[in-house]
């Protein structure tokens, strides 16, 4: 018998896609992140701000799994993943971009998307020998997907160019396309506006907005408050590894403790 409980939960009812509970990371006795909690709801776009050295990037590394917490817990979609490897978290729909993308400079823009390390039949010589048609079909599908994503990030015209010719902003767009190859549900975006010229910045803002509208949850580290307030409904501010304030972009930007942290470089 079908009951009401068989209905899939709405975004509002389902557990947060990211839930960090009292995360702490100490390096040689110094706490880069110190009892930090935050949540990102399904289809939510949350800004993570704070002065240099606040612990934002360390927080991303703890969420992505490239760093293990000294203490605290991390949950993805209601499942505890605190000790899981980064690859397993990717399998749970989590992706992360880097502040300074490092594409393979001599490979073409398209090839950079194809080396994304997806599970392919063609990975083994044996598979190539035994199932050549399946391998070819999968390669074709991957190329089509990569081309679609290059179109989405407005880089189609550069498909065959080596990645080294890309500007800083174009590298950010390629980085976005790279993580989209894995079909993530939630994306950790690390300073997508840094070093990007104003024209391309508008493209990045518009593309990030479109991804959120498509249903992707986003946690955005950004110093550009204009971008944060245009994109995010909720902002989390941290300083000295701790939560400082949380609320709407305008509430957080006018919070005296946040202003003091930016002026004084701490909290
Ligand atoms: N691997 C490490 N070893 C030692 N200390 C570290 C390490 N990584 C980060 N830290 C320290 O932890 C603190 C937080 O750094 P983090 O890079 O997370 O800050 P941030 O908010 O991302 O800064 P920014 O805005 O400048 O990128 C800093 O004091 C930094 O020096």
């Amino acid at each position: 018998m079908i009951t009401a409980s068989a209905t899939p939960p709405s975004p509002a009812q389902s557990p947060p896609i990211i839930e960090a509970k009292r995360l702490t990371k100490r390096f040689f006795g110094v706490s880069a992140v110190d009892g930090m909690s935050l949540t990102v709801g399904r289809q939510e776009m949350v800004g993570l701000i704070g002065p240099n050295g606040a612990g934002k990037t360390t927080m991303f590394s703890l969420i992505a799994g490239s760093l293990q917490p000294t203490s605290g817990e991390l949950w993805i979609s209601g499942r505890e993943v605190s000790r899981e490897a980064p690859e397993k978290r990717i399998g749970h729909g989590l992706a992360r971009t880097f502040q300074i993308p490092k594409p393979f400079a001599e490979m073409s823009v398209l090839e950079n998307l194809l080396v994304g390390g997806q599970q392919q039949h063609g990975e083994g010589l044996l598979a190539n020998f035994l199932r050549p048609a399946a391998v070819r079909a999968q390669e074709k599908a991957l190329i089509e997907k990569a081309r679609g994503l290059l179109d989405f990030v407005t880089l189609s015209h550069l498909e065959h160019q080596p990645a080294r010719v890309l500007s800083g902003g174009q590298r950010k767009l390629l980085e976005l396309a790279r993580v989209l190859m894995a079909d993530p549900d939630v994306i950790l975006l690390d300073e997508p506006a840094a070093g990007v010229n104003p024209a391309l910045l508008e493209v990045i803002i518009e593309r990030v907005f479109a991804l959120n509208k498509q249903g992707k949850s986003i946690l955005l580290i950004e110093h550009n408050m204009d971008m944060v307030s245009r994109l995010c409904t909720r902002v989390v501010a941290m300083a000295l590894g701790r939560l400082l304030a949380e609320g709407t972009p305008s509430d957080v930007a006018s919070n005296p403790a946040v202003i003091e942290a930016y002026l004084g470089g701490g909290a």
Side-chain angles (χ1 to χ4, degrees):
M1 191 176 83
I2 297 174
T3 64
S5 63
T7 311
S10 72
Q13 290 169 322
S14 40
I17 197 151
I18 294 176
E19 190 169 15
K21 300 183 185 176
R22 302 172 306 281
L23 281 180
T24 291
K25 180 65 186 178
R26 275 197 282 278
F27 294 109
F28 313 109
V30 177
S31 294
V33 168
D34 191 3
M36 183 67 195
S37 298
L38 67 75
T39 60
V40 178
R42 282 204 172 264
Q43 299 171 17
E44 202 184 9
M45 176 133 55
V46 177
L48 181 58
I49 68 162
N52 291 334
K56 305 179 297 295
T57 304
T58 306
M59 197 64 192
F60 261 28
S61 300
L62 292 171
I63 296 171
S66 51
L67 283 176
Q68 292 287 314
T70 309
S71 63
E73 292 174 9
L74 184 78
W75 294 65
I76 296 178
S77 300
R79 177 201 315 245
E80 199 195 343
V81 300
S82 312
R83 301 282 149 195
E84 281 189 1
E87 307 77 54
K88 279 201 97 176
R89 299 185 197 195
I90 293 169
H92 299 319
L94 182 89
R96 172 204 193 158
T97 69
F98 287 92
Q99 199 175 327
I100 303 172
K102 294 196 174 85
F104 295 103
E106 297 308 322
M107 282 179 146
S108 76
V109 166
L110 180 67
E111 284 164 348
N112 263 276
L113 296 190
L114 299 175
V115 293
Q118 299 225 315
Q119 201 63 43
Q120 293 174 55
H121 295 306
E123 271 173 357
L125 275 176
L126 191 61
N128 247 325
F129 181 68
L130 294 176
R131 288 176 294 168
V135 170
R136 271 199 306 278
Q138 194 179 40
E139 277 174 3
K140 193 162 169 261
L142 267 183
I143 291 170
E144 268 167 28
K145 181 176 182 179
R147 287 205 165 116
L149 288 172
L150 284 182
D151 187 40
F152 176 74
V153 298
T154 70
L155 293 180
S156 291
H157 60 297
L158 296 166
E159 175 184 320
H160 299 298
Q161 295 294 318
R164 72 180 141 75
V165 307
L166 299 183
S167 70
Q170 288 168 335
R171 282 173 194 227
K172 300 268 183 178
L173 285 164
L174 179 60
E175 175 78 344
L176 191 57
R178 181 186 67 77
V179 300
L180 291 173
M181 284 295 286
D183 297 319
D185 299 319
V186 55
I187 309 172
L188 310 177
L189 275 180
D190 199 347
E191 295 200 36
V196 176
N197 74 50
L200 221 42
L201 180 57
E202 282 308 310
V203 177
I204 291 176
I205 292 175
E206 203 261 316
R207 297 292 79 185
V208 172
F209 183 77
L211 284 174
N212 184 236
K213 287 291 151 229
Q214 286 170 15
K216 307 226 182 267
S217 312
I218 292 171
L219 181 61
L220 169 72
I221 294 182
E222 193 42 73
H223 287 289
N224 180 329
M225 267 315 276
D226 174 57
M227 178 175 187
V228 171
S229 49
R230 281 168 64 189
L231 286 173
C232 302
T233 42
R234 192 159 61 83
V235 172
V236 173
M238 59 187 298
L240 299 177
R242 301 200 189 112
L243 177 69
L244 198 57
E246 190 171 356
T248 64
S250 59
D251 283 351
V252 170
S254 59
N255 182 302
V258 174
I259 295 169
E260 175 61 25
Y262 273 93
L263 292 178

